[in-house]
């Protein structure tokens, strides 16, 4: 009988211990739930921050730290006993004078920067004037103007300037060329004139040996017009012929070849910022 009671007692203790070990995960789970609850309560409280009051405090601190005189330089710092200014008060004449004084204290532009700005103003004015002229005279299919990194590029079609296979300027192009010359007179920069052709070989009856001679002679004809007819300064010009080495279109199509036969006049940028 005693042994039976002893065995029952031992079995009860063993089952009790087993039950305790199985239920311990509930303690950890309860702790985790409690921590999550606290976390979300804190997040909820932070999300209800008064935005207007926060901005008001921020502006006040910024004004205080920016307006206080330096302790290092002999001032009293931000705790000088003076009253805190009203951050909502409209700026008076004193603040306007301070802003003007701040602007005057800025370093002046260097001569190079001034020259660069002047150059850019002149180039942009030139481009606008040419665009207006092209539009007013309905020359959009003959003359194209572009602002490139190297300068203002004026591309003239060979049909506008020359007869097929020739390098003498057409009479009808003189008006436009004279207009360009009048605009170039106002500039103090280098103007590059480049002749280009397609990849079709020169016909035997032509006086030119190849496309190199043709492109070079066409660029030279434009240069001669500016120098001999318009009396522009030769020191401001340079010219070259590139034949078909710098195509602007596809030489396998008639449209592309027509695009390649051109003269490009580029008003070069001589200053870089």
């Amino acid at each position: 009988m005693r042994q039976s009671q002893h065995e029952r007692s031992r079995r009860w203790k063993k089952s009790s211990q087993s039950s305790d070990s199985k239920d311990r995960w509930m303690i950890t789970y309860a702790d985790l739930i409690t921590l999550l609850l606290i976390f979300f309560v804190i997040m909820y409280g932070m999300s209800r921050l008064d935005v207007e009051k926060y901005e008001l405090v921020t502006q006040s601190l910024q004004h205080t730290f920016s307006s206080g005189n330096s302790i290092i330089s002999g001032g009293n710092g931000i705790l000088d006993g003076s009253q805190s200014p009203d951050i909502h008060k409209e700026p008076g004449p004193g603040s306007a004078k301070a802003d003007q004084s701040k602007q005057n204290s800025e370093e002046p532009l260097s001569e190079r920067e001034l020259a660069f700005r002047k150059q850019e103003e002149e180039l942009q004015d030139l481009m606008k004037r040419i665009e207006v002229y092209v539009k007013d005279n309905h020359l959009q299919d003959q003359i194209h103007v572009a602002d490139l990194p190297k300068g203002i590029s004026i591309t003239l079609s060979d049909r506008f300037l020359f007869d097929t296979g020739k390098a003498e300027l057409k009479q009808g192009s003189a008006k436009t060329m004279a207009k360009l010359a009048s605009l170039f007179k106002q500039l103090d920069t280098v103007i590059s004139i480049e002749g280009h052709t397609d990849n079709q070989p020169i016909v035997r009856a032509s006086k030119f040996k190849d496309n190199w001679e043709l492109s070079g002679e066409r660029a030279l004809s434009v240069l001669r017009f500016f120098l001999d007819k318009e009396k522009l300064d030769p020191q401001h010009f340079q010219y070259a012929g590139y034949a078909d080495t710098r195509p602007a279109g596809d030489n396998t199509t008639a449209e592309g070849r027509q695009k390649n036969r051109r003269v490009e006049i580029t008003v070069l940028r001589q200053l870089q910022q």
Side-chain angles (χ1 to χ4, degrees):
M1 185 67 177
R2 291 181 179 179
Q3 184 178 2
S4 176
Q5 291 179 352
H6 179 72
E7 288 178 357
R8 284 198 298 269
S9 176
R10 187 174 59 182
R11 289 175 183 174
W12 181 83
K13 289 181 180 180
K14 186 176 182 180
S15 62
S16 177
Q17 291 175 356
S18 176
S19 177
D20 290 343
S21 62
K22 290 181 180 179
D23 294 339
R24 285 180 180 178
W25 65 271
M26 296 182 65
I27 300 175
T28 304
Y29 178 76
D31 291 341
L32 177 61
I33 294 299
T34 303
L35 291 175
L36 286 175
L37 177 62
I38 295 172
F39 172 75
F40 284 115
V41 169
I42 294 174
M43 292 296 293
Y44 178 75
M46 293 178 64
S47 66
R48 296 180 59 84
L49 177 66
D50 192 329
V51 177
E52 294 183 359
K53 290 184 178 180
Y54 176 78
E55 291 181 353
L56 183 64
V57 173
T58 302
Q59 293 177 7
S60 177
L61 290 174
Q62 289 177 347
H63 182 81
T64 302
F65 282 106
S66 62
S67 61
N69 52 1
S70 175
I71 297 177
I72 298 178
S73 59
N76 296 320
I78 61 175
L79 301 177
D80 57 353
S82 61
Q83 294 181 355
S84 176
D86 187 356
I87 62 175
H88 298 289
K89 186 178 181 181
E90 293 294 331
S95 62
K97 291 182 179 180
D99 292 340
Q100 184 66 30
S101 176
K102 182 178 180 180
Q103 294 178 358
N104 294 335
S105 64
E106 295 179 355
E107 295 183 2
L109 296 175
S110 65
E111 293 183 2
R112 182 177 180 82
E113 290 173 330
L114 291 173
F116 174 80
R117 290 191 177 186
K118 180 182 178 182
Q119 172 190 255
E120 287 303 308
E121 290 175 359
E122 292 177 347
L123 292 179
Q124 296 306 315
D125 180 67
L126 171 68
M127 184 172 178
K128 291 179 181 178
R129 288 174 178 267
I130 297 175
E131 288 177 336
V132 171
Y133 178 84
V134 170
K135 183 178 180 180
D136 292 344
N137 291 272
H138 308 288
L139 297 171
Q140 290 91 335
D141 59 337
Q142 303 293 338
I143 302 175
H144 177 69
V145 188
D147 187 355
L148 304 179
K150 64 180 179 179
I152 303 299
S153 175
I154 309 157
T155 302
L156 300 97
S157 170
D158 75 321
R159 292 182 302 182
F160 177 74
L161 296 175
F162 312 104
D163 291 323
T164 303
K166 295 184 178 181
E168 294 78 18
L169 290 173
K170 289 181 179 181
Q171 292 295 328
S173 65
K175 179 182 177 181
T176 299
M177 298 297 291
K179 175 63 176 180
L180 292 177
S182 66
L183 297 175
F184 294 159
K185 287 180 180 179
Q186 307 171 18
L187 303 175
D188 184 19
T189 185
V190 175
I191 299 172
S192 175
I193 303 172
E194 300 176 356
H196 302 269
T197 68
D198 58 22
N199 66 346
Q200 300 300 301
I202 295 292
V203 297
R204 292 184 179 181
S206 176
K207 67 176 183 178
F208 302 109
K209 180 180 179 181
D210 52 24
N211 283 324
W212 286 101
E213 286 190 2
L214 178 59
S215 62
E217 285 296 323
R218 286 182 167 181
L220 182 58
S221 294
V222 174
L223 174 63
R224 289 296 183 191
F225 182 90
F226 290 143
L227 301 186
D228 300 340
K229 297 289 183 65
E230 300 298 325
K231 307 301 181 183
L232 299 184
D233 188 351
Q235 294 183 355
H236 292 166
F237 287 89
Q238 64 186 30
Y239 87 100
Y242 291 102
D244 62 335
T245 60
R246 300 185 180 183
D250 186 0
N251 273 313
T252 62
T253 65
E255 183 180 357
R257 289 192 295 270
Q258 176 58 58
K259 191 174 182 180
N260 290 334
R261 297 192 296 269
R262 69 199 190 276
V263 172
E264 292 184 359
I265 304 174
T266 306
V267 182
L268 300 175
R269 283 185 169 89
Q270 294 187 292
L271 298 173
Q272 298 295 328
Q273 197 171 30

